[in-house]
């Protein structure tokens, strides 16, 4: 039989990262290509304890159908937390629990983007989200990312000239893959531009709680007196990604359409996970847990940068120093004798995996001299082994 | 701000059932409108035990990211089970774990249906699936359902005349809402027609294990030597709907595109739930559990039909006798003095909720003289109270 494939997914390939992730399952390969939280970052004892209690005291609640909007106590707990800590959410907003934050990208695209409409994003940006936008046949328009966020002139040009821009996708804190944090000035400027051009901002903030140095910068959503920002939050990096819990805080008219789309996708998010997240947030030392995560990642990031300084910087590779998140963005020297793609391919042959930077571009065939390293998943030993291997390779071939 | 809504969801309303479900949360209302499994059908002790073991022995596995295709041991366990018990799945097929079976409908539509393409379905059919198809701007073509399945002449006409038919959606066992089971002859005929017109069949089988009388009829997927059937299975009615575990067994080229779409929707299904389902299937008395469910529903269905005979049949209301599933389809008498919609509205005022039959049509504005009763969720007392109220109303107004 000739299988018909819809236009929207015709060109869509499996995410390069997830493909690499499978390859990296080979235990002899050092994987610096994942984005998994460190295993020691999971509050295993708390989850075990909470889960036992839920399945004892409210087992039917955990096993029965629930409402699409999400477990009401969890919705309230997140709402209160985001209000108090980050000034996020107004009377014009509401909250929806999603099956991971990835589903926020999916639902907003599904409910607002017609095929051929434009989504503006940072260049580079998170491949998972780009693929979601692509899967609805959105036209992607990448805005060059600078040290302090998107280039504002390019952004305004895009808003002015691109057809049917539906939203601007931004990871303002410790961006994946670049590690860039958008400055307060640029956050305000981006908000004003979105307002001026009547466009929604999709602010994706999976790493916001993982700041390891410097001061928190207000979320764009905290300026949102005009009802133009959809905020995507996630428990993947602060509790557990396997639970698949994310959420959207968004203007009510937008959120209502997202709820209708979620009904058609998966009815509601796993109830057990929502109940565990709720109890963990409200009855455990959630702030203490976040502080311990920051300690874990502060140490791992510092060690990773130390290793880069030792093994890669002497070969001419440079990298962007980070204040949080899970990734470091490395750049080959200008006069490198081989391409970044070739470098990554050779790295795999030497049993170390990184993600080629072009995977994060709106057009993967564009030139790119960067690659992404993850330091949260590997152990310190693996990290040293991997970066040393990269350094040896760089010393020989660059 | 003027919020832009995509064409595909512009006309989509929240599912009438889920709206009624919210209304039915009023404890003074007897709800016969849900589709929830009976609370006593959940293997609570087993889930508690398994969950404790998983979070003790493989906590990182349960909390960390996993692969999009699903937890490999669960994929194998379902594969073996469906092979041995139902002869479902060939070398040309593969299996994908989804976040509830609803996601199978979503992923197949997303990956095969362009906007305006046609999906053929039974009329009436499950509103949740119809809304999923609508959410991708599919054109729905309803085929009248007879006592033994779709009218074959109408089906062939539709296959011949409708533009870009992408698949035929069918619930062959104890259909929701009609209770109809498609005969073996019609299953074979539908398969042959699909083959002749080069069209996929989406066979949704959420209630297949809940047969309370008569003999199992082979799944359409069990005939599938041509790679044209996508089978949607679910744990919602046999383990727990709150866990959100479904699966697709489908020809590899179709499944691969569905996997790519799932990556963009929710990355993977909740890991804990997949692990619980796996252990429950393989280390517990799964067949014994299914037999106990059939006992529960056999009793509840018999009691419901007894009540209908006592309270509603004397008023001229008729119903379709069922051999399984969770629903009974009732029809107002031909000479009824009020419309079905009016009847359902008046029922709500008397504190009993049923689902108006037109909610299950491809065009909700069409005339319909049926309504759907669910007997799995209410207790026996509620069931009697509700059907008695309906009978009193029918006696007065029909």
């Amino acid at each position: 039989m000739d299988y018909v494939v819809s236009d929207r997914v015709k060109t869509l390939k499996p995410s390069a990262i997830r493909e690499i992730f499978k390859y990296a399952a080979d235990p002899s390969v050092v994987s610096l290509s994942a984005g998994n939280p460190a295993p020691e970052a999971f509050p295993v004892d708390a989850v075990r304890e909470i889960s036992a209690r839920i399945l004892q005291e409210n087992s039917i609640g955990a096993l029965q159908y629930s409402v699409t909007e999400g477990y009401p106590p969890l919705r309230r707990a997140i709402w209160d937390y985001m209000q108090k800590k980050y000034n996020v959410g107004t009377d014009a907003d509401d909250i929806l629990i999603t099956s991971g934050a990835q589903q926020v990208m999916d639902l907003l695209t599904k409910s607002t983007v017609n095929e051929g409409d434009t989504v503006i994003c940072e260049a580079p940006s998170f491949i998972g989200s780009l693929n979601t936008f692509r899967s609805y046949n959105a036209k992607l328009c990448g805005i060059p990312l600078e040290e302090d966020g998107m280039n504002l002139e390019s952004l305004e040009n895009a808003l002015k000239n691109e057809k049917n821009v539906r939203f601007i996708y931004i990871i303002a804190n410790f961006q994946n893959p670049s590690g860039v944090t958008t400055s307060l000035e640029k956050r305000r400027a981006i908000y004003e531009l979105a307002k001026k051009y009547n466009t929604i901002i999709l602010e994706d903030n999976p790493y916001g709680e993982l700041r390891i140095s410097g001061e928190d910068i207000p979320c764009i959503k905290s300026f949102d007196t005009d009802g133009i920002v959809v905020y995507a939050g996630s428990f993947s990096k602060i509790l557990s990604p396997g639970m698949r819990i994310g959420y959207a805080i968004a203007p009510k008219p937008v959120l209502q359409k997202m709820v209708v789309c979620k009904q058609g996708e998966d009815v509601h998010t796993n109830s057990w996970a929502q109940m565990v997240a709720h109890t963990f947030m409200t009855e455990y030392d959630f702030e203490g847990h976040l502080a311990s995560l920051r300690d874990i990642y502060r140490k791992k990031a510092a060690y990773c940068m130390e290793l880069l300084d030792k093994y890669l910087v002497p070969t001419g590779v440079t990298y962007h120093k980070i204040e949080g998140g899970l990734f470091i963005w490395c750049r080959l020297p200008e006069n490198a004798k081989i391409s970044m793609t070739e470098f990554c391919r050779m790295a795999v042959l030497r049993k170390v995996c990184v993600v080629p930077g072009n995977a994060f571009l709106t057009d993967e065939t564009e030139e790119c001299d960067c690659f992404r390293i993850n330091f949260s998943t590997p152990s310190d030993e693996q990290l040293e082994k991997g970066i040393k291997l990269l350094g040896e390779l760089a010393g020989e071939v660059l």
Side-chain angles (χ1 to χ4, degrees), chain A residues 79 83 88-94 224 250-252:
Chain A
W79 184 268
Q83 270 274 318
V88 156
T90 72
D91 286 350
D93 290 315
D94 205 347
D224 190 18
K252 284 173 187 168

Side-chain angles (χ1 to χ4, degrees), chain A residues 52-340:
Chain A
R53 232 175 77 197
I54 288 169
L55 293 174
Q56 193 65 48
E57 294 169 8
N58 191 5
S59 54
I60 302 302
L63 299 181
Q64 189 56 280
Y65 276 117
S66 182
V67 288
T68 305
E69 289 82 352
Y71 181 53
L74 178 63
R75 293 173 69 212
R76 275 194 299 276
I78 296 172
W79 184 268
D80 290 347
Y81 177 83
M82 291 305 295
Q83 270 274 318
K84 272 182 210 146
K85 193 164 171 187
Y86 296 111
N87 192 31
V88 156
T90 72
D91 286 350
D93 290 315
D94 205 347
I95 179 168
L96 165 68
I97 309 296
T98 56
S99 303
Q102 185 82 31
Q103 200 180 37
V104 178
M105 318 314 153
D106 181 274
L107 297 174
L108 184 67
T109 313
K110 183 162 185 182
S111 58
T112 65
V113 177
N114 284 319
E115 303 201 1
D117 286 354
T118 302
V119 170
I120 292 178
C121 56
E122 296 160 313
S125 186
F126 173 47
I127 182 174
S129 296
L130 299 188
N131 278 343
T132 300
F133 308 146
R134 287 179 180 123
S135 79
Y136 290 97
N137 248 343
K139 186 189 160 203
L140 299 182
C141 173
I143 307 297
L145 199 54
E146 299 166 342
E147 291 288 301
D148 58 349
M150 281 190 268
N151 178 295
L152 296 177
E153 207 180 322
S154 301
L155 176 59
E156 180 149 19
N157 275 337
L159 286 165
K160 210 184 284 176
N161 301 321
E162 294 292 330
K163 238 179 63 184
N164 299 331
V165 175
R166 290 304 174 224
F167 58 82
I168 304 165
Y169 174 68
I170 173 167
I171 305 174
N173 291 315
F174 332 122
Q175 202 245 17
N176 178 1
S178 68
V180 164
T181 293
T182 300
S183 67
L184 181 58
E185 295 65 38
K186 280 209 171 166
R187 291 181 194 212
R188 289 201 191 278
I190 292 166
Y191 182 83
E192 290 305 323
L193 282 173
K195 190 173 153 183
K196 180 172 167 188
Y197 291 96
N198 206 37
T199 298
I200 284 174
I201 295 172
L202 172 53
E203 182 180 25
D204 186 12
N205 193 18
Y207 316 110
E209 304 281 5
L210 303 183
R211 175 173 282 280
I212 56 176
S213 63
E215 291 290 311
D216 270 348
I217 298 173
C219 299
I220 302 176
K221 183 66 181 163
S222 71
F223 319 143
D224 190 18
T225 48
D226 302 280
I228 60 171
V229 183
V230 173
Y231 180 91
S234 172
F235 282 81
S236 290
K237 306 302 184 284
I238 57 174
L239 175 55
S240 147
M243 285 189 180
R244 312 303 308 129
I245 305 277
Y247 58 92
I249 296 178
K252 284 173 187 168
V254 178
L255 203 87
Q256 279 155 8
K257 291 293 176 186
M258 291 170 70
V259 170
V260 173
C261 288
K262 182 169 167 68
Q263 275 184 5
E265 275 189 14
D266 64 3
V267 188
H268 67 81
T269 293
N270 178 284
S271 305
W272 169 87
Q274 295 189 70
M275 294 165 93
V276 170
H278 165 251
T279 305
F280 186 67
M281 275 190 89
T282 55
E283 298 183 27
Y284 281 67
D285 181 12
F286 189 49
E287 285 298 340
H289 169 69
L290 296 178
S292 78
L293 292 185
R294 283 188 288 265
D295 284 345
I296 291 171
Y297 292 123
R298 190 175 293 116
K299 272 188 211 133
K300 282 189 101 75
Y303 186 55
C304 184
M305 291 194 270
E306 196 185 306
L307 292 168
L308 290 172
D309 288 338
K310 182 170 170 188
Y311 294 112
L312 272 168
V313 169
T315 70
V317 172
T318 54
Y319 70 92
H320 179 86
K321 288 207 161 35
I322 57 164
E323 299 197 323
L326 307 177
F327 304 106
I328 296 183
W329 191 236
C330 301
R331 190 179 298 274
L332 297 197
E334 258 180 52
N335 55 354
K337 290 199 271 307
I338 62 169
S339 72
M340 180 277 300

Side-chain angles (χ1 to χ4, degrees), chain A residues 39-51 239 276 280 289:
Chain A
E40 64 267 33
F42 298 132
V44 171
D45 293 334
V47 171
R48 194 182 292 140
E49 209 175 277
I50 296 168
S51 173
L239 175 55
V276 170
F280 186 67
H289 169 69

